[in-house]
Amino acid sequence: MTEETTRADAAPADPPIDAQHPSTSPVKTHSPWPALWALVIGFFMILVDTTIVSVANPAIKADLDPGTPNLDNVVWVTSAYLLAYAVPLLITGRLGDRFGPKNIYLTGLAVFTLASLACGLSPTLGTLIAFRAVQGLGAAMMTPQTMAVITRTFPPNQRGAAMGLWGATSGVAMLVGPLAGGLLVDGFGWEWIFFVNIPVGIVGFVLAWMLVPKLETHPHRFDIVGVFLSAIGLFLIVFGLQEGETYDWGVIWGPITVWGLIIAGVVVMGLFIWQQFRTKSEPLVPMELFRDRNFSVANIGIATVGFSVTSMSLPMMFFFQLGRGLSPTESALLLVPMAIAAGVLSPLAGRWLDRTDPRVLLVPGLLLVAGALVLYSVLMNVDTPVWAFLIPSFIMGVGNAGMWGPLATTATRNLGPRQAGAGAGIYNTTRTIGSVLGSAAIAVFMQGRLEANLPGASDAGEGFGEGTLPAVVAEPFSTAMAQSILLSAAVLVVGVVAVLFLRRPKPVAGDWTAAKRAD
């Protein structure tokens, strides 16, 4: 453990796990696995919801935004969710420490499930975007609690296996999400991609209420100024990137320009970081966590992963459904090898990580995913046999197994009980910020590539709807999508460079035995 972690855990305000309430300690008498399985249901639902929406985007656009040539309007269905997801994560991690991970998780699950019902009933694109934002708030309450429970209930030498389950959940969601989305969109309509969350949410709520233990809470002061600054800064940056093409990177209203918003957002985020360093009591982002090199590097790595995974899905699905005329179900079936490979290999990678240097898994994992994206770009044309897309799908699945779980384990391995919520919140915020920026950037990049390959596309009288595009349009459209997906690959290369600076963690069984002695 780092020296900072040791000092934090030894502070009088932070007694060891359940030291004051030994009778309720899940560490002493109960296996942590049932609780993790219960929490994974909610985490699974969040991931499925994201992948389902990527498959349904063309159908949503055709129904709620027909005749509009721009693609960035429907992108807000994803961006609004991710923006509302990213901003509160820092404080929801602390809320879990303060009021208990179980309580905050259950509250978030209820919000997410009810918002899913409202999304399915939305009559307009604007209404759908608004309720997707509410879904994001619910997801923000749930996600940090899963990682915090792993950190607080699993011994460090078993966290890799626990995070392997977390990674396997991502792999299974990659399969279930697109397949369920394709079947539901084809059979019942896009609304049912949200209605399906309701029974899953109810089952997940009951199981979490029964199986997740009540862990000791820690008093926290909440940095309201930090929350405000981070929210404003992030919103200005993402809104500017998302809407830049719509306003031709010029004036939005009065003296306000797109670049003015982006620059203002960067300035506000700089002010937020300065304020965090100056806050001595309890900053929203405890900067001492970043003295741990592995925590810092893992956050850079997960930001690139979030960016790439989010940004790649939009051009891929638009190519499959518009460039090649595949149905949502057929498009989803092309992702089956990726999901199976990730689901099978992730638990194995997690167990291996407990005994090896994280770079052994992360470097090849990230390189495989980046290479698969380049291969997709090469194959994305109207003449490629459809079966050929199964090859990069499988390669990407293998890479995913060495990417998600190992990054999360490396980031949280040295966190003490008091830091679990804050660390999980920072990690998930970083991932989601990467996703938000990826969603915004790919909209801009796709529109730019469309203009380059289809001059005048933004001024066309008809938009891109459902069904196969005419041959004269399908070829340049496919080229634009193939060029767009290279952005995802390029950002992952940055992640590869970052993880090269990781250190092999030192044995940390001591912090586990210390907690046992305290009990």
Side-chain angles (χ1 to χ4, degrees), residues 250-293:
V251 175
I252 295 179
W253 180 76
I256 301 174
T257 65
V258 170
W259 284 110
L261 285 180
I262 295 173
I263 293 171
V266 171
V267 171
V268 173
M269 289 303 294
L271 182 61
F272 165 70
I273 294 173
W274 175 82
Q275 182 258 350
Q276 293 299 287
F277 276 109
R278 298 277 296 178
T279 302
K280 300 301 182 183
S281 55
E282 288 210 52
L284 190 61
V285 177
M287 291 300 178
E288 65 269 15
L289 292 179
F290 291 97
R291 295 176 185 171
D292 182 335
R293 178 191 289 188

Side-chain angles (χ1 to χ4, degrees), residues 109-149:
L109 182 54
V111 171
F112 188 95
T113 305
L114 291 174
S116 297
L117 174 63
C119 285
L121 298 174
S122 297
T124 66
L125 184 63
T127 306
L128 175 59
I129 291 171
F131 283 115
R132 281 285 284 166
V134 178
Q135 263 192 323
L137 291 173
M141 300 179 75
M142 295 164 62
T143 302
Q145 316 316 326
T146 303
M147 290 184 66
V149 168

Side-chain angles (χ1 to χ4, degrees), residues 423-483:
I426 292 169
Y427 181 83
N428 283 286
T429 298
T430 305
R431 174 178 62 84
T432 312
I433 287 174
S435 298
V436 170
L437 295 178
S439 177
I442 198 63
V444 175
F445 201 61
M446 283 172 60
Q447 201 66 39
R449 291 296 84 207
L450 282 171
E451 281 292 334
N453 290 276
L454 279 168
S458 295
D459 301 322
E462 296 182 0
F464 301 110
E466 293 181 295
T468 310
L469 294 172
V472 68
V473 177
E475 186 173 351
F477 179 87
S478 299
T479 300
M481 297 301 102
Q483 293 170 351

